[in-house]
Amino acid sequence: MLTLVIGNKNYSSWSLRPWIYLKQHGIAFNEVNVLLYQGDYQAQLARYTPAGKVPVLVDGATTVWDSLAILEYLAERFADLALEHQDQLMNALIEEIGTPINLTANHVDTPVNFLRWFAEEAWKPWKCLLPS
């Protein structure tokens, strides 16, 4: 199961970004709140990341920090969610930006396929996920 280590939701908007993504998509995760700048917060963070900052996503042996890197990781890890909800996404695109119905499928499929391709290519030279 995923573990998301975050700071205070009222003051740490960077922490809130992956938290909102996970909640919005109904992805199960454990939430660990670290009270930043209080007590031994640095030791608490060191258990999850060498960066010493929040947010941190732990997925088994994979640790990702930086909110944008976490969002990209989640988008790739759960790319099938976009395809499962393709009809809703297509309708939103039609209503939001007036995309013709015959082009909306490309707006959903292309980003998902791009993320999958890039994730596979990133593995080839290094045989591992690169740290952010």
Side-chain angles (χ1 to χ4, degrees):
M1 173 173 276
L2 299 172
T3 299
L4 182 65
V5 182
I6 61 174
N8 186 322
K9 291 178 195 163
N10 292 327
Y11 304 112
S12 180
S13 64
W14 294 101
S15 291
L16 204 52
R17 292 173 183 181
W19 183 88
I20 289 171
Y21 183 94
L22 290 164
K23 288 288 190 180
Q24 182 69 28
H25 289 88
I27 300 168
F29 67 100
N30 294 321
E31 180 179 325
V32 176
N33 289 298
V34 175
L35 297 175
L36 301 176
Y37 308 109
Q38 295 181 15
D40 65 342
Y41 80 95
Q42 291 172 327
Q44 292 176 23
L45 287 175
R47 293 190 321 207
Y48 299 100
T49 175
K53 297 181 180 185
V54 292
V56 179
L57 180 75
V58 179
D59 184 13
T62 302
T63 301
V64 184
W65 56 91
D66 180 76
S67 62
L68 295 178
I70 292 170
L71 293 175
E72 287 181 23
Y73 176 81
L74 292 171
E76 167 56 30
R77 172 93 156 63
F78 297 98
D80 293 338
L81 286 174
L83 297 178
E84 287 176 19
H85 301 285
Q86 185 171 10
D87 291 340
Q88 293 98 334
L89 291 170
M90 288 170 50
N91 287 335
L93 287 169
I94 290 167
E95 293 173 13
E96 186 175 302
I97 58 176
T99 304
I101 195 163
N102 60 335
L103 298 178
T104 56
N106 288 336
H107 287 292
V108 176
D109 291 341
T110 301
V112 170
N113 291 332
F114 174 78
L115 285 171
R116 285 184 175 155
W117 176 85
F118 186 75
E120 290 172 12
E121 290 299 309
W123 276 99
K124 290 179 182 175
W126 296 280
K127 304 291 188 242
C128 66
L129 286 176
L130 298 177
S132 59

